[in-house]
Amino acid sequence: MRAMGWVVLLLLAAGGARAQSNAEGLALCNEIGSAVRMLVKYTNTECTYGANQDGGLDLILVAVEPVFSVKASRDAWLVVAVGATAQATRSSTAKTGKLIVSDRTMIAQARGFALPTATARAIQTRIKAGELDLAGAVVEIDAAMVAYTPAR
């Protein structure tokens, strides 16, 4: 992973991932990253993970391009990122807490957004059931996201 300084700070602050979680975190990131890269062609997406205080994993997705600077790009990337995270965490036995999202421009400012992975799964469930369209999903994702700055 290149130029992800605040992600490194996050991992150090969290104490890194537990040894038994490394395989789970790697598997989740491989699945999520592959899905997002396959569906979103205008940017590469990097994934990493860190242990959270509850003994689970927080997942960190970073778009290489500044997707948060263009609303249409941001919305499309977020829907795919949330959907891919929901799918991967639903089929995993790993305990997950937050999905942290950012792009390279925001990382340079030590900024990102976080939402619970349980919320990602709930949004995806409603989309798959036809209860929520993509515009509604963006509204719910926006409502669930909180500003995130790693502890230093």
Side-chain angles (χ1 to χ4, degrees):
M1 311 225 71
R2 302 170 306 274
M4 296 187 66
W6 75 273
V7 173
V8 172
L9 287 173
L10 167 72
L11 294 174
L12 292 174
R18 299 183 332 260
Q20 62 266 30
S21 296
N22 285 337
E24 295 169 322
L26 184 58
L28 282 169
C29 274
N30 284 338
E31 183 176 343
I32 295 164
S34 293
V36 176
R37 284 188 295 273
M38 181 176 61
L39 295 171
V40 180
K41 299 294 187 189
Y42 52 85
T43 187
N44 191 21
T45 299
E46 299 170 339
C47 180
T48 192
Y49 58 92
N52 61 34
Q53 294 182 357
D54 296 326
L57 298 172
D58 287 337
L59 302 165
I60 306 158
L61 292 179
V62 179
V64 173
E65 298 298 323
V67 297
F68 283 87
S69 64
V70 177
K71 183 167 176 24
S73 296
R74 170 198 174 278
D75 292 353
W77 184 81
L78 280 173
V79 168
V80 171
V82 165
T85 300
Q87 188 66 33
T89 59
R90 182 173 280 114
S91 63
S92 173
T93 59
K95 179 181 174 185
T96 57
K98 289 188 291 273
L99 168 62
I100 301 165
V101 294
S102 191
D103 64 27
R104 288 275 177 92
T105 302
M106 291 173 56
I107 282 179
Q109 303 162 1
R111 293 179 39 232
F113 296 97
L115 69 151
T117 56
T119 301
R121 288 189 296 273
I123 290 169
Q124 186 211 35
T125 297
R126 293 184 54 221
I127 290 170
K128 288 176 91 171
E131 299 169 3
L132 189 64
D133 64 11
L134 295 179
V138 170
V139 170
E140 290 200 12
I141 292 167
D142 283 343
M145 286 194 315
V146 295
Y148 183 85
T149 303
R152 293 187 186 253

